[in-house]
Amino acid sequence: MVLACYVELTASSWRTEQLFVCFGGGVASKALSKKRLTGWLCECISHPYGQAGRAFPTGVRAHSTRGMAVSTALFNGVSVEDICRVASWSTPGLFIRSYLLDMSDSFSSSVLAGATHDW
């Protein structure tokens, strides 16, 4: 739903076929670089930690969002089969080896569960 809203709001000003575009300044509506998207994702991951006065976990990268998302889905009752189907994984092995995260940290769990934040 959020992605559909984004597409609707930005479609008339796109200057590229890429889905994600820049906003503001001289780069508005131009293709978003991988580096800039990575920076935005890392900001989104780190922001709740800073707001709570907690240190940002080491080793977290933009790609960490995939592991966080699928682990959160699993711990909120989504079946491994459904996760694998949506992620286009033929077997759960890759998920279990590479993406299944320990979500026992109460702060991480509350962040990913949608706790209210002042952003």
Side-chain angles (χ1 to χ4, degrees), residues 1 4 10 12-14 29 31 34 45 48 59-60 67 70 78 82 89 101 113:
M1 183 164 154
T10 60
S12 65
S13 62
W14 284 359
S29 301
K34 290 178 185 178
I45 295 169
V60 175
V70 295
V78 178
D82 285 343
W89 296 326
L101 302 175

Side-chain angles (χ1 to χ4, degrees), residues 30-98:
K30 292 184 180 175
L32 181 67
S33 71
K34 290 178 185 178
K35 184 176 181 179
R36 187 173 300 234
L37 179 59
T38 296
W40 287 351
L41 286 171
C42 287
E43 276 186 52
C44 288
I45 295 169
S46 68
H47 188 78
Y49 287 90
Q51 290 293 306
R54 306 255 325 233
F56 185 62
T58 57
V60 175
R61 305 178 339 258
H63 188 71
S64 302
T65 57
R66 187 171 189 163
M68 291 176 174
V70 295
S71 295
T72 300
L74 178 68
F75 296 122
N76 282 297
V78 178
S79 71
V80 172
E81 293 79 17
D82 285 343
I83 291 170
C84 290
R85 182 180 47 76
V86 170
S88 299
W89 296 326
S90 57
T91 65
L94 177 65
F95 167 60
I96 293 167
R97 281 191 315 276
S98 303

